[in-house]
């Protein structure tokens, strides 16, 4: 099905054409006829199959059908996302598809200018995108109201449960108009039993739509696995980088500590890379993502904070430097490549510890990952190691420095040696107590 066949408003059609979309993906072909007709839909599809575009197109069509709007601080649509990265990505896609539509868009999430977001929201928006925490914060301050929302969209609902946001999510949903007075859409890579319970509680008889059959990984991802010792992982990674011609690659680690160590190793060997993790400042994180999307950064090291919701065109490879402990994270990691019909490769390195996670991952994805055997020529053994002082030292605090015990003792000794006799004489001496003579019993 082509988008031209959907009889969309002209400004929306122009935005779709400018984004380069011509034919619908399977999830879009199944859901758009339902959502454009006003039906509620709970959609399941493999990551990277175009779910975001599906619900945004439905949203813009709904807003065009009612051009009057609500005005004031009453958003017409609410889009909920579990992570900051996903909220940013949805906002970017919404602005791209709606560039000709004229609707105001505001995304709110933690880690960036609080007052700037608050003031922008206070001026009134048509489409509100955000994470639950920041949305609740502004709602309690009565910066905006949810009483006139015409469409609710929940993206990656299963992740809301995983991250413990389900209480916040219910708090927001209970402040919306009744479910039969708004349209409700839910999209996710997985639709578990608890997610469907949420759908039936807050949606109006949703139509469940699923694509991809029993396979939950993207069809066009070529998966491979190398068994390797933990002390040889970087040696093998260097060989794979040279062999695979990795132009734009995401490398995933389980912890920030391992990611930092990997970045230092890559930099010592002339490989430009950056790392993003949960405690990296949001402004810095967004700058790193812009550089990676623009092609200025060939390698992005990330923890699982970046495995969901990021649509980056042209990611040729995903490398699991550490196999994830959660099988779902494996699916979302490799879903960063082979997006929207493109091809991609996912390479996993299983060391002694990571191999323990392999059985659960293969059971979850429903197939075995093809194992590859690396010969000795693939290992790069003469690589450079970063100097021990490569990590930046924390700047010393200003003010009076507290002396160390050895320094204090030295200074005290020096003072004793240089003190004048007069000074010493002035020091009061402790008097000795005289022992009292025992009283004679003969007294």
């Amino acid at each position: 099905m082509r988008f031209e066949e959907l009889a969309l408003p002209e400004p929306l059609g122009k935005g779709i054409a400018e984004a380069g979309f011509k034919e619908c993906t399977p999830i879009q072909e199944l859901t758009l006829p339902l959502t454009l007709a006003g039906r509620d839909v709970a959609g399941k599809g493999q990551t990277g199959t175009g779910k975001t575009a599906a619900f945004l197109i439905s949203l813009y069509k709904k807003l065009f059908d009612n051009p009057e709007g609500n005005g004031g601080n009453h958003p017409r649509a609410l889009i909920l996302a579990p992570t900051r990265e996903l909220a940013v990505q949805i906002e970017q896609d919404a602005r791209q598809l709606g560039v000709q539509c004229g609707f105001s868009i505001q995304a709110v999430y933690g880690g960036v200018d609080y007052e700037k977001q608050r003031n922008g929201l206070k001026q009134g928006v048509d489409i509100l995108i955000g994470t639950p925490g920041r949305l609740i914060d502004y709602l309690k301050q009565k910066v905006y109201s949810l009483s006139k929302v015409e469409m609710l969209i929940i993206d990656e609902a299963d992740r809301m449960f995983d991250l413990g946001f389900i209480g916040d999510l219910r708090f927001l949903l209970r402040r919306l108009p009744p479910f039969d007075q708004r349209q409700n859409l839910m999209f996710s890579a997985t639709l578990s039993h608890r997610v469907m319970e949420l759908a039936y509680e807050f949606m109006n008889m949703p139509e469940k739509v699923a694509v991809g059959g029993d396979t939950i990984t993207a069809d066009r991802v070529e998966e491979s696995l190398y068994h390797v010792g933990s002390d040889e992982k970087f040696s093998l990674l260097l060989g794979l980088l040279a062999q695979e011609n990795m132009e734009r690659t995401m490398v995933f680690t389980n912890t920030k500590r391992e990611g930092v160590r990997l970045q230092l190793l890559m930099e010592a060997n002339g490989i430009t890379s950056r790392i993003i993790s949960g405690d990296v400042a949001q402004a810095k994180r967004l700058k790193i993502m812009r550089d990676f999307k623009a092609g200025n950064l060939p390698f992005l090291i990330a923890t699982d904070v970046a495995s969901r919701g990021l649509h980056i065109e042209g990611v040729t490879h995903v490398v699991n430097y550490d196999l994830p402990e959660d099988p779902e994270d494996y699916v979302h990691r490799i879903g960063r490549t082979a997006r929207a019909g493109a091809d991609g490769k996912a390479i996993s390195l299983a060391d002694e510890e990571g191999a323990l996670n392999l059985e659960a991952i293969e059971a979850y994805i429903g197939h075995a990952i093809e194992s590859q055997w690396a010969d000795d020529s693939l290992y790069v053994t003469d690589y450079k190691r970063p100097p021990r002082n490569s990590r930046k030292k924390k700047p010393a605090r200003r003010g009076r420095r507290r002396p160390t015990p050895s320094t204090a003792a030295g200074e005290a000794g020096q003072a004793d040696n240089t003190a004048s006799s007069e000074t010493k004489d002035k020091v009061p001496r402790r008097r000795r107590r005289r022992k009292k003579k025992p009283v004679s019993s003969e007294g």
Side-chain angles (χ1 to χ4, degrees):
M1 179 187 294
R2 298 180 65 86
F3 287 103
E4 300 170 355
E5 304 173 24
L6 297 174
L8 300 172
E10 183 178 353
L12 178 56
K14 289 182 178 179
I16 294 172
E18 291 179 9
F21 298 158
K22 296 181 180 179
E23 296 182 352
C24 297
T25 63
I27 187 69
Q28 293 166 355
E29 188 169 353
L30 288 175
T31 59
L32 283 174
L34 297 171
T35 57
L36 294 176
R39 295 285 305 277
D40 284 12
V41 167
K44 170 194 171 185
Q46 298 166 347
T47 182
T49 53
K51 298 187 295 294
T52 304
F55 66 67
L56 286 175
I57 291 171
S58 305
L59 169 58
Y60 281 125
K61 175 64 166 56
K62 175 122 181 132
L63 297 184
F64 271 110
D65 290 343
N66 179 22
E68 297 298 327
N70 301 315
N73 62 342
H74 296 85
R76 302 179 61 188
L78 175 65
I79 304 178
L80 294 168
T83 65
R84 303 172 186 176
E85 284 71 26
L86 184 54
V88 171
Q89 187 64 57
I90 294 172
E91 180 189 21
Q92 293 173 351
D93 292 343
R95 294 189 184 281
Q96 183 183 35
L97 290 176
V99 65
Q100 304 286 343
C101 298
F103 297 113
S104 57
I105 304 168
Q106 174 76 40
V108 297
Y109 45 87
V112 293
D113 194 323
Y114 184 91
E115 286 300 324
K116 183 177 180 180
Q117 288 185 351
R118 188 179 188 277
N119 293 334
L121 185 56
K122 197 172 183 179
Q123 293 175 4
V125 295
D126 294 310
I127 302 172
L128 176 58
I129 307 163
T131 53
R134 185 60 65 93
L135 285 170
I136 291 176
D137 193 0
Y138 291 140
L139 184 64
K140 288 182 176 179
Q141 297 178 39
K142 299 183 179 180
V143 178
Y144 71 100
S145 170
L146 293 175
S147 60
K148 296 183 180 179
V149 168
E150 302 171 33
M151 178 177 280
L152 166 70
I153 298 170
I154 305 174
D155 198 13
E156 300 291 2
D158 55 345
R159 194 63 169 170
M160 296 283 190
F161 284 93
D162 297 339
L163 296 177
F165 291 155
I166 189 60
D168 292 342
L169 182 62
R170 291 180 183 275
F171 178 90
L172 291 168
L173 298 184
R174 291 188 178 116
R175 280 147 182 83
L176 295 170
F179 61 82
D180 56 349
Q181 296 181 18
R182 63 176 193 261
Q183 188 175 1
N184 308 278
L185 306 181
M186 179 185 293
F187 287 83
S188 181
T190 58
L191 288 177
S192 61
H193 177 71
R194 59 184 182 178
V195 172
M196 288 310 301
E197 278 188 342
L198 184 72
Y200 293 133
E201 181 179 356
F202 292 100
M203 300 174 69
N204 186 20
M205 300 182 64
E207 187 80 22
K208 186 176 180 180
V209 176
V211 297
D214 297 329
T215 305
I216 63 174
T217 55
D219 297 327
R220 302 180 73 90
V221 177
E222 180 184 335
E223 301 173 69
S224 60
L225 175 79
Y226 290 88
H227 289 274
V228 59
S230 58
D231 57 342
E232 297 178 319
K233 285 168 71 174
F234 185 70
S235 176
L236 177 58
L237 178 62
L238 287 179
L240 291 171
L241 295 182
Q243 174 181 282
E244 294 286 339
N245 189 25
M246 300 182 184
E247 298 175 0
R248 188 177 299 175
T249 304
M250 294 189 71
V251 184
F252 285 97
T253 61
N254 287 349
T255 64
K256 179 192 174 182
R257 181 178 181 181
E258 185 65 18
V260 170
R261 176 178 173 274
L262 177 59
Q263 183 188 11
L264 292 175
L265 282 168
M266 296 181 81
E267 288 182 350
N269 290 271
I271 303 172
T272 304
S273 64
R274 294 289 183 273
I275 180 172
I276 60 173
S277 59
D279 59 351
V280 174
Q282 186 66 22
K284 182 178 179 181
R285 200 186 302 183
L286 293 175
K287 183 182 183 303
I288 293 173
M289 293 306 304
R290 285 195 297 268
D291 291 341
F292 187 62
K293 290 180 180 181
N296 301 325
L297 180 64
F299 295 97
L300 177 64
I301 304 170
T303 57
D304 286 305
V305 70
S307 65
R308 290 224 184 188
L310 297 181
H311 174 64
I312 304 171
E313 294 182 2
V315 175
T316 58
H317 294 75
V318 167
V319 177
N320 287 307
Y321 194 74
D322 299 324
L323 271 179
E325 298 177 359
D326 188 343
E328 286 190 29
D329 289 333
Y330 175 83
V331 175
H332 295 291
R333 285 181 181 185
I334 71 173
R336 299 313 101 200
T337 187
R339 299 184 69 83
D343 295 323
K345 288 187 177 182
I347 301 173
S348 299
L349 307 182
D351 59 12
E352 301 87 347
E353 184 178 351
L356 301 176
N357 305 326
L358 183 58
E359 183 178 356
I361 291 173
E362 291 181 334
Y364 181 75
I365 63 178
H367 64 269
I369 305 173
E370 183 180 356
S371 295
Q372 304 284 341
W373 300 100
D375 53 31
D376 293 340
S377 62
L378 194 56
Y379 290 88
V380 178
T381 57
D382 58 344
Y383 62 87
K384 298 179 181 179
R385 289 169 174 78
R388 292 186 176 182
N389 60 348
S390 57
R391 291 194 179 187
K392 296 181 179 179
K393 295 182 179 180
K394 294 183 178 180
R397 293 182 178 179
R398 294 183 178 180
R400 188 175 181 181
R401 182 173 62 89
R402 174 178 288 181
T404 60
S406 59
T407 306
E411 292 176 353
Q414 185 178 3
D416 288 341
N417 293 333
T418 58
S420 64
S421 59
E422 292 182 0
T423 307
K424 291 183 178 180
D425 292 340
K426 292 180 181 180
V427 178
R429 294 182 178 180
R430 188 175 181 181
R431 294 182 178 180
R432 293 182 179 179
R433 290 185 178 181
R434 293 182 180 181
K435 294 183 179 180
K436 294 182 179 180
K437 292 182 180 181
V439 178
S440 175
S441 58
E442 299 177 357

